[in-house]
Amino acid sequence: MNIGNFVNFGFKKKKYDLFYLLKKIENKINSKLRIRISSIEPNLLNNRIINFISKSKIFVPHFHLPLQSGSNYILNKMKRRYNVKIYIKNVKKILNIIPDACVGTDIIVVFPGEKESNFLETYNLLKSLELAYIQVFPYSERENTDAYFLKETIPKML
């Protein structure tokens, strides 16, 4: 599930989004409780959410923004709905508004078709960002995904 895609169609066809849900939770929850948003894709994070969290009494300033790759070529192959520019913009925006925020990411390496130059784009991007943590995972084939059928797989090393 992608939490950033939260949309609920309530009474009278009124559309509620993630920002609306966060505000509702803030108003209903005991202020001693602390909540961390697990993961939200960079294209779904917006100024309203960042500003809201910066002032929240219960939502902690923790942003897990999955990057997956620092190469626009690979992000496109992964069919991600964001690019490197959007990612950088959001990380800088978060840290500008909330300097002590925890910003972390996920990276997938050896994605089918990834070349050394694509890997180095990711490596250099990660070096340039002020991230609190990086989780790195090797690509693994999953049936019923578009990537499963990509021909340019990278052989596993023993």
Side-chain angles (χ1 to χ4, degrees):
M1 181 178 155
N2 184 342
I3 193 166
N5 275 334
F6 173 82
V7 175
N8 179 36
F9 292 93
F11 299 105
K12 298 181 184 176
K13 304 263 185 199
K14 186 171 182 180
K15 185 176 173 182
Y16 300 106
D17 61 6
L18 178 60
F19 178 69
Y20 175 86
L21 176 64
L22 296 177
K23 287 192 325 187
K24 278 294 204 193
I25 291 170
E26 175 96 7
N27 292 329
K28 298 279 184 188
I29 300 284
N30 179 331
S31 64
K32 291 181 182 180
L33 185 66
R34 303 290 281 160
I35 300 174
R36 176 177 68 107
I37 297 175
S38 177
S39 184
I40 184 168
E41 289 191 3
N43 57 305
L44 300 172
L45 184 63
N46 60 49
N47 288 342
R48 290 186 315 159
I49 293 172
I50 296 169
N51 287 322
F52 175 78
I53 290 176
S54 76
K55 296 173 180 84
S56 176
K57 291 179 176 54
I58 65 167
F59 288 97
V60 298
H62 176 276
F63 297 85
H64 183 86
L65 295 176
L67 174 59
Q68 309 306 359
S69 176
S71 166
N72 284 326
Y73 171 75
I74 297 298
L75 289 172
N76 189 42
K77 286 182 74 98
M78 290 178 171
K79 299 192 182 209
R80 300 294 168 174
R81 297 176 291 172
Y82 55 88
N83 59 38
V84 170
K85 184 177 179 180
I86 291 170
Y87 193 87
I88 294 169
K89 179 180 165 189
N90 276 326
V91 170
K92 288 183 177 186
K93 189 184 318 175
I94 291 167
L95 294 175
N96 183 48
I97 294 170
I98 316 170
D100 61 343
C102 175
V103 181
T105 196
D106 291 337
I107 299 295
I108 297 174
V109 294
V110 298
F111 189 81
E114 183 179 40
K115 307 284 186 240
E116 183 177 357
S117 60
N118 305 123
F119 174 82
L120 290 173
E121 286 179 274
T122 301
Y123 173 79
N124 290 322
L125 175 61
L126 292 172
K127 278 182 30 177
S128 74
L129 295 173
E130 296 180 48
L131 297 173
Y133 64 90
I134 303 167
Q135 299 174 331
V136 181
F137 302 96
Y139 167 76
S140 59
E141 290 183 346
R142 302 235 196 301
E143 290 185 31
N144 299 319
T145 65
D146 291 344
Y148 182 78
F149 299 101
L150 294 175
K151 303 275 186 231
E152 303 170 281
T153 57
I154 299 171
K156 293 182 180 160
M157 297 182 71
L158 299 174

